[in-house]
Amino acid sequence: MSEATLLVRQGILADLSPIKSLADAHRHELGFVLLPSLHKQIEGGEVLIAEQGGALVGFVDYHRRRDGQVTLYHILVAPAARRQGVGRALLAGLAAAARASGAERILLKCPVDLAANAFYQRHDFQLRETLNGRKRALNVWVLPVE
């Protein structure tokens, strides 16, 4: 990754195609990310983008629920940008958005076989339980928002 400054910002419709391309390249980790769903989330202000040097290097999409929970659907950092603070910056942006909306916690489900579980643990998420998913077991992670 270049020396360019990392920027985390609200996603806009012009980001839709690059987000979808990045997501499609990582279907094993994310599953199939639907274009109409991404479109709706961008319009609803529920997508954050990590940009460096004008290029998309990561994104997070989520949903704010009325019960004080933010559900993180997908977080992805481009392979060339990993282990450089991009994921941490996206989580910080998500936590700030959650706090601003009055949320009490961020919740996500992650297949047990993915390395992302270690990422969530390193970033103070607490393992609540492991569930049987349709195709594979899922860890349920929760991060209290203060």
Side-chain angles (χ1 to χ4, degrees), residues 79-126:
R82 291 181 183 166
R83 299 190 114 9
Q84 299 179 37
V86 176
R88 180 177 50 246
L90 284 167
L91 284 180
L94 179 59
R99 274 191 298 281
S101 70
E104 299 169 6
R105 67 194 161 281
I106 298 169
L107 181 135
L108 66 94
K109 295 177 183 174
C110 182
V112 298
D113 60 322
L114 295 183
N117 286 285
F119 170 80
Y120 298 125
Q121 187 172 24
R122 278 194 314 274
H123 290 90
D124 300 324
F125 280 79
Q126 301 159 0

Side-chain angles (χ1 to χ4, degrees), residues 5-60:
T5 301
L6 179 65
L7 170 68
V8 174
R9 63 170 175 78
Q10 196 73 43
I12 59 173
L13 288 178
D15 299 317
L16 187 57
S17 182
I19 292 170
K20 179 68 168 139
S21 294
L22 184 59
D24 285 350
H26 297 277
R27 279 198 184 127
H28 172 71
E29 296 97 332
L30 300 182
F32 191 74
V33 179
L34 300 173
L35 191 65
S37 296
L38 282 173
H39 188 278
K40 183 179 177 182
Q41 286 182 278
I42 289 172
E43 286 184 329
E46 295 179 330
V47 176
L48 297 175
I49 300 300
E51 231 178 25
Q52 191 159 44
L56 177 91
V57 294
F59 75 94
V60 61

